[in-house]
Amino acid sequence: MKKITLILGVHNHQPVGNFGQVFEALFRQSYEPFLKILSRYPKVKFTVHTTGPLLEWLEQNQPGYLKLLGEMVKRGQVELFTGGLYEPILSILPDRDKQGQIRRLTELLEKKFKAPVQGMWVAERVWEPHLTLPLAEAGVKYIVMDDAHFKATGLREDETFGYYLMEEQGRTLGVFPISEKMRYLVPFQDVNETINYLRSVATEEGDRCVVLMDDGEKFGGWPDTYQWVYEQGWLERFLQALTDNAQWLTCATFAEFAATHPPKGPLALPTGSYTEMGEWSLPAEAAAEYERIRHEVGDRGEMPRFERYLKGGIWRNFQVKYAESNQMHKKMLWVSDKVEKARKHLAKKSTPQQKALLAKAEQALYRGQCNCPYWHGVFGGLYLNHLRFANYRQLIEAEREADALLPAPAHGIQAHVTDFNKDGRDEILVETPAFHALLEPARGGSLRELDYLKNPINLSDTLTRRREAYHAKLLAMAHSNGEGGQPASIHDRVRTKEPGLEHRLFYDRDPRTSLIERLVPLGTNVEQLWKVQYDEWSDFHRQPFDFKLTPPKKKGDPLKVLLSADGLFKDGGEPLPLRLTKKLSFTPGHFHLTADYRLENLGHRAVKFLFLSEWNLTLLAGDAPDRAYFVKGRDLSNRALNSMGLEEGVEEAGMTDGWLKLKVDFKSEPPAKFFRYPVETISQSEGGFERVYQGSCLLFGQEVSLAPRQVFETTLTTQLREAAGS
């Protein structure tokens, strides 16, 4: 009789910072019913991987679920998998954090469930060959990867029914292939199709295994699956079929199979992830072309022949594609180094209180490494501002705790000149116990990051509006519906969460940063600024600025940064040389920045223009009642942060946040034009295209008329102040 082993598993994950109602909904729709039904079929062995954020939520909100899981582990039905505690992309972490995260989850599982943990789930199946060593050193015996990884090495499909060994510097790690065929069968097709497929790959020797380990949310949590999986009984039929066919179809855990079967041999898996990730990580134009090529090959029926060669990009491309992802990653590395410095600082002597503070910093660092907001695909990821906020909040908290364990800065403020972004150009990081500010002299002397430490938030975390490959589908759908063209193909059908999104596709020319200066025509209005349909008459916002630092001489003195650059004024006439100087003064304590501007006409003709100082800031919610704009002495008709408008002759204006108890206050001398508009992106998610508020753009403008050799001066002061709650 032909026989085969089936290894089943689920990976259950919710990101740090996801909404409580999302945890609760997926628990009811997927995690709870799945485990309860599985528990009634004790002969069906299973593997379960649950990430740290979800484990913490279950412990606090649904301990009965963990009790049932423990009973299934005890009777040998369930094997538990470890992983990075807070589901990081391991390849981009320092090795100390890779191993720290894995060991933390392994120790937690073994202590709670009293069972050995040998296998590991690799987040998003993002693999790089160097990972073999740190994973093996962390005690991992085997992992799972998509069979596409295996086929990319040249293996045939019939060679993927077993596990292999990878080696790095003498350490080995087992790797099992996840069957793509099974991923598409389960749970979407009739149970008999799955049984027939397994029967077709069974052998007389019975030494093969087929692995299916996939997102647990697909069993009820994905759109339209709850009714099929539970109400229409697919899961019960599936488990019953496995039980009924046990004479030739053995359900085993990874540990059981590895203990009774030798590896098929050595293997060197290439860098990669699952197929869709290869598409999403590419730049928009390349991603669109890659998708077209795959469809063309698939439509010709030649995918089995060419698929192993159609790999797309790699996960690290996201840090190139999205400056915001790179910034968050480099912030994480900076904080990780600080936590390590604090760890070494306390190595020789420390109090229990200091040890507790270090443990708190380490946990916050690990939570800030959660992978979800570092990338974007069909799932919101980077585009979901509450997930980016959650990671930054954790990283800022970790940095704050680490700073408390390290020597305090002299005079209450310090500056580091360093290549923070790892782009070959120096940045200036200004730090006090109340705020951290990152300046980029090479990019317009701009402010890239502004962290408020008391109620941690990165106020500069505003996402740039950029073209995505899938925007073409939105535009094509709107065109076909509106003008009677041909209906969209099966590959191009899309859903939208609200009508008219195609009319809000605006793309920024530059990254969304702050403290940047624009020279635009007089009469430029707020709608032109919002839609990026205005003329830019200078390039100061892109120019590298020379800089000079003046540290404080005594406590209470400000830290000063002098930034200067020469640029050209291009209004259609003869290009005119200008010189812009920004004198920045940071006071110790709460964030108080004075920017003294000096703009000199070095040319031989007079010019007129609108000088704008631009700030891009986020308070997370565009329409929350406790977050609003204000203009001193005026009642705004619409104060919501997702509104737009212009106020003339403004001396003081800004934003308030009752939740964070924070006020962002700008004062202009002389009084300025105050433009404001929302920064909103159109992104794709499981539920369709959606509009997401990413932040607000605030611009303070002065009408300028400069004769040859004449100088224009203005001052803009920015403060972060505590405000009353809502």
Side-chain angles (χ1 to χ4, degrees), residues 185-417:
L185 285 172
V186 176
F188 308 108
Q189 303 300 321
D190 186 80
V191 169
N192 287 334
E193 290 197 37
T194 301
I195 298 300
N196 290 338
Y197 169 69
L198 292 170
R199 195 185 298 275
S200 73
V201 296
T203 63
E204 294 291 345
E205 296 78 13
D207 59 351
R208 288 181 169 184
C209 72
V210 172
V211 176
L212 171 62
M213 191 164 182
D214 207 351
D215 296 343
E217 295 80 18
K218 73 190 291 186
F219 298 98
W222 287 9
D224 306 321
T225 58
Y226 183 84
Q227 183 181 20
W228 169 248
V229 172
Y230 302 115
E231 293 181 352
Q232 296 183 21
W234 179 92
L235 182 57
E236 297 239 28
R237 292 195 302 275
F238 177 64
L239 298 176
Q240 187 62 54
L242 297 181
T243 303
D244 292 344
N245 289 278
Q247 57 183 345
W248 65 272
L249 178 56
T250 301
C251 288
T253 64
F254 291 95
E256 289 171 341
F257 189 86
T260 56
H261 294 76
K264 296 176 73 67
L267 191 68
L269 285 187
T271 296
S273 182
Y274 49 84
T275 301
E276 296 87 348
M277 188 71 83
E279 174 189 334
W280 299 333
S281 65
L282 291 171
E285 184 177 344
E289 184 178 22
Y290 176 74
E291 184 182 25
R292 285 195 300 270
I293 291 171
R294 287 189 63 88
H295 288 323
E296 290 171 7
V297 173
D299 291 343
R300 294 200 305 265
E302 296 182 316
M303 189 58 75
R305 179 184 175 194
F306 292 112
E307 184 167 26
R308 71 178 63 185
Y309 307 113
L310 298 176
K311 294 182 60 177
I314 65 172
W315 192 90
R316 287 180 187 257
N317 283 359
F318 287 114
Q319 294 173 13
V320 178
K321 183 177 180 179
Y322 300 111
E324 298 87 351
S325 173
N326 185 63
Q327 176 66 22
M328 187 184 295
H329 177 250
K330 302 310 180 285
K331 173 74 170 183
M332 179 272 290
L333 293 180
W334 178 265
V335 175
S336 179
D337 284 346
K338 273 198 175 180
V339 173
E340 178 66 8
K341 289 176 184 176
R343 189 181 291 118
K344 291 179 178 178
H345 185 67
L346 300 182
K348 294 182 179 180
K349 184 179 180 181
S350 61
T351 66
Q353 293 80 6
Q354 288 174 320
K355 289 180 179 178
L357 204 59
L358 179 61
K360 187 177 178 181
E362 184 179 80
Q363 183 180 36
L365 167 65
Y366 288 171
R367 290 174 67 86
Q369 292 170 340
C370 183
N371 79 84
C372 302
Y374 286 92
W375 62 280
H376 172 63
V378 166
F379 305 96
L382 178 78
Y383 275 86
L384 297 180
N385 65 356
H386 67 283
L387 295 186
R388 297 198 314 275
F389 164 78
N391 270 38
Y392 268 116
R393 190 178 188 88
Q394 295 298 323
L395 294 174
I396 295 168
E397 284 188 354
E399 187 171 17
R400 184 181 63 188
E401 308 301 350
D403 282 344
L405 296 169
L406 295 169
H411 311 310
I413 190 169
Q414 64 183 345
H416 307 273
V417 177

Side-chain angles (χ1 to χ4, degrees), residues 507-559:
Y507 302 124
D508 295 319
R509 298 166 182 166
D510 304 285
R512 285 275 167 186
T513 56
S514 294
L515 200 65
I516 56 177
E517 295 72 46
R518 302 189 187 279
L519 276 57
V520 302
L522 296 174
T524 298
N525 62 49
V526 68
E527 186 170 335
Q528 291 172 313
L529 294 167
W530 174 52
K531 294 182 177 180
V532 200
Q533 295 176 349
Y534 61 92
D535 291 328
E536 195 92 59
W537 281 356
S538 77
D539 58 357
F540 284 117
H541 58 290
R542 295 176 179 170
Q543 283 281 73
F545 276 62
D546 295 326
F547 67 91
K548 179 182 178 181
L549 275 175
T550 304
K553 294 182 179 179
K554 63 180 185 300
K555 188 174 182 179
D557 283 356
L559 184 147

Side-chain angles (χ1 to χ4, degrees), residues 559-570:
L559 184 147
K560 297 181 179 180
V561 183
L562 179 65
L563 296 153
S564 61
D566 291 339
L568 290 176
F569 184 80
K570 299 180 180 179

Side-chain angles (χ1 to χ4, degrees), residues 686-701:
E686 308 98 300
F689 283 91
E690 61 185 359
R691 177 162 54 108
V692 180
Y693 170 81
Q694 300 293 351
S696 295
C697 183
L698 300 84
L699 303 105
F700 296 86

Side-chain angles (χ1 to χ4, degrees), residues 347-650:
K348 294 182 179 180
K349 184 179 180 181
S350 61
T351 66
Q353 293 80 6
Q354 288 174 320
K355 289 180 179 178
L357 204 59
L358 179 61
K360 187 177 178 181
E362 184 179 80
Q363 183 180 36
L365 167 65
Y366 288 171
R367 290 174 67 86
Q369 292 170 340
C370 183
N371 79 84
C372 302
Y374 286 92
W375 62 280
H376 172 63
V378 166
F379 305 96
L382 178 78
Y383 275 86
L384 297 180
N385 65 356
H386 67 283
L387 295 186
R388 297 198 314 275
F389 164 78
N391 270 38
Y392 268 116
R393 190 178 188 88
Q394 295 298 323
L395 294 174
I396 295 168
E397 284 188 354
E399 187 171 17
R400 184 181 63 188
E401 308 301 350
D403 282 344
L405 296 169
L406 295 169
H411 311 310
I413 190 169
Q414 64 183 345
H416 307 273
V417 177
T418 181
D419 183 9
F420 187 94
N421 296 330
K422 309 306 177 189
D423 61 355
R425 292 172 283 191
D426 280 339
E427 284 78 44
I428 304 169
L429 180 60
V430 180
E431 296 182 329
T432 78
F435 73 86
H436 295 158
L438 182 70
L439 297 168
E440 293 187 311
R443 290 187 173 88
S446 59
L447 178 66
R448 165 65 70 173
E449 183 172 336
L450 176 56
D451 297 336
Y452 179 63
L453 272 59
K454 182 168 185 178
N455 201 340
I457 183 174
N458 172 12
L459 290 162
S460 296
D461 182 29
T462 304
L463 199 67
T464 301
R465 301 175 298 181
R466 50 171 61 82
R467 187 181 305 277
E468 296 286 0
Y470 52 70
H471 285 165
K473 297 179 182 180
L474 180 62
L475 293 170
M477 181 189 70
H479 179 77
S480 64
N481 290 344
E483 301 187 16
Q486 292 184 336
S489 74
I490 186 82
H491 302 308
D492 298 322
R493 290 178 184 170
V494 295
R495 292 187 292 181
T496 61
K497 293 187 176 181
E498 63 177 288
L501 291 180
E502 68 276 8
H503 301 304
R504 292 177 173 269
L505 285 175
F506 311 126
Y507 302 124
D508 295 319
R509 298 166 182 166
D510 304 285
R512 285 275 167 186
T513 56
S514 294
L515 200 65
I516 56 177
E517 295 72 46
R518 302 189 187 279
L519 276 57
V520 302
L522 296 174
T524 298
N525 62 49
V526 68
E527 186 170 335
Q528 291 172 313
L529 294 167
W530 174 52
K531 294 182 177 180
V532 200
Q533 295 176 349
Y534 61 92
D535 291 328
E536 195 92 59
W537 281 356
S538 77
D539 58 357
F540 284 117
H541 58 290
R542 295 176 179 170
Q543 283 281 73
F545 276 62
D546 295 326
F547 67 91
K548 179 182 178 181
L549 275 175
T550 304
K553 294 182 179 179
K554 63 180 185 300
K555 188 174 182 179
D557 283 356
L559 184 147
K560 297 181 179 180
V561 183
L562 179 65
L563 296 153
S564 61
D566 291 339
L568 290 176
F569 184 80
K570 299 180 180 179
D571 59 351
E574 180 184 356
L576 192 75
L578 300 176
R579 177 169 296 151
L580 177 62
T581 301
K582 295 191 276 189
K583 295 180 180 179
L584 307 181
S585 179
F586 294 91
T587 61
H590 292 296
F591 182 79
H592 186 290
L593 169 64
T594 301
D596 292 313
Y597 289 106
R598 187 177 191 273
L599 185 63
E600 183 178 1
N601 182 352
L602 302 178
H604 302 289
R605 64 182 178 93
V607 290
K608 294 182 179 181
F609 53 87
L610 181 63
F611 175 88
L612 296 173
S613 177
E614 178 177 326
W615 288 71
N616 290 283
L617 302 173
T618 183
L619 294 176
L620 289 176
D623 55 0
D626 60 348
R627 274 153 267 196
Y629 290 114
F630 72 89
V631 175
K632 187 177 181 180
R634 305 185 193 183
D635 291 325
L636 300 178
S637 59
N638 188 346
R639 301 175 63 233
L641 298 183
N642 60 4
S643 67
M644 68 171 61
L646 167 64
E647 295 290 320
E648 302 275 358
V650 171

